[in-house]
Structure formats: C-alpha cells, structure tokens
Amino acid sequence: MEQTLSIIKPDAVKKNVVGKIIDRFESNGLRVATMKKVQLSQCDAKEFYAVHKERPFFADLVDFMVSGPVVIIVLEGLNAIAKNRELMGATDPKEAAAGTIRADFADSIDANAVHGSDSLENAKREIAFFFANREIY
Ligand code: GDP
C-alpha cells in the first residue's frame, strides 16, 4: 500500500466538482485516508511549491493556488502515486488523455483542477506538510 497527496485546486472547487473528482479516485482502487478544505496563504503555497521557485510560472502558480479554497486529500492504494498521476492526465489539459480528470475538468495549464505527488519522496514530504500522522486513517 502506498499513500499520495492530491489537491483539488481552486478552479475545480469553484466548479463544484469535488465529489466527481473523488469518485474517479474511489472508482479506480484509491481510498480517501484523510481530507480537508483549506484556504492556503501565499506563504503556504510558496513553501509547498518551493521546488518550482526558479520557474517562470512560479508567481502565477502561487497566485492561482490562493485564489480560493482547495481540498487536500491523502489517497491510499496499490501504486497510489502512479495511479493518481494516470487518473489526473497531463499537466496541460489540451494534452491530457480522454477520460482523465484534467481532460474532463481543467481549463488551462494554470487552472488544471488537481495536483498529485510525483514521487515517493515528494508524497511523504507533501503529506507531512499538511497532515499529522494521527489525522490519517
Ligand atoms: P504537475 O505535476 O502535472 O502538476 O506539473 P508540475 O509539477 O510540472 O507543475 C506544477 C504546476 O505548475 C502545474 O500543475 C501547473 O499548474 C503549473 N505549471 C507547470 N508548467 C507550467 C507552465 O509552463 N506554465 C504555467 N503557467 N503553469 C505551469
């Protein structure tokens, strides 16, 4: 069993498709181990995305992530990290495969509906950033 962090981004929360996105996870062998709705601060978003701080899109990414509340979820399942990335689809929704979350719910490379951890190391760091062990079941 593996755990990964998913964030339902402000665009998808505003569209009221939180339940539809969680259904994709649950229908594909992933389980919600914990979940909360949060309004991130600039400080939270900058620290969470620190790996991207030199990238040209960093400021836009941070501004977008604080533009409204997000839903933060720990998903658990067999190969959860890769499975979640597969369900999400490509970063740019124009390139995302049909039937993926981003193909169905995302509008642009900024407003791309979901975040998902991309490695075991990042999953551990990202989960610990938002949750204490006693909150995850
Ligand atoms: P992900 O793992 O598929 O979310 O993609 P990355 O880790 O590479 O990038 C993190 C987030 O930054 C993405 O989900 C996008 O919202 C944003 N992003 C990545 N590349 C670009 C880009 O070229 N332009 C803009 N505007 N945003 C980007």
Side-chain angles (χ1 to χ4, degrees), residues 69-125:
V70 296
V71 174
I72 306 177
I73 305 169
V74 175
L75 294 170
E76 188 175 275
L78 212 58
N79 300 318
I81 297 165
K83 170 59 76 180
N84 181 40
R85 299 284 306 180
E86 182 189 319
L87 295 173
M88 286 163 61
T91 308
D92 185 346
K94 292 199 288 284
E95 286 161 20
T100 60
I101 293 168
R102 282 167 166 166
D104 291 343
F105 301 114
D107 299 321
S108 67
I109 197 161
D110 292 288
N112 64 358
V114 279
H115 164 85
S117 308
D118 62 4
S119 67
L120 193 56
E121 187 191 351
N122 283 338
K124 288 196 166 125
R125 181 185 68 79

Side-chain angles (χ1 to χ4, degrees), residues 8-19 21 37-39 63-71 105 107 111 113:
I8 302 181
K9 294 188 179 184
D11 57 319
V13 173
K14 281 190 188 117
K15 280 186 192 167
N16 207 23
V17 292
V18 170
I21 291 175
K37 190 174 189 181
V38 178
Q39 170 64 57
D63 284 346
F64 175 68
M65 291 302 287
V66 306
S67 66
V70 296
V71 174
F105 301 114
D107 299 321

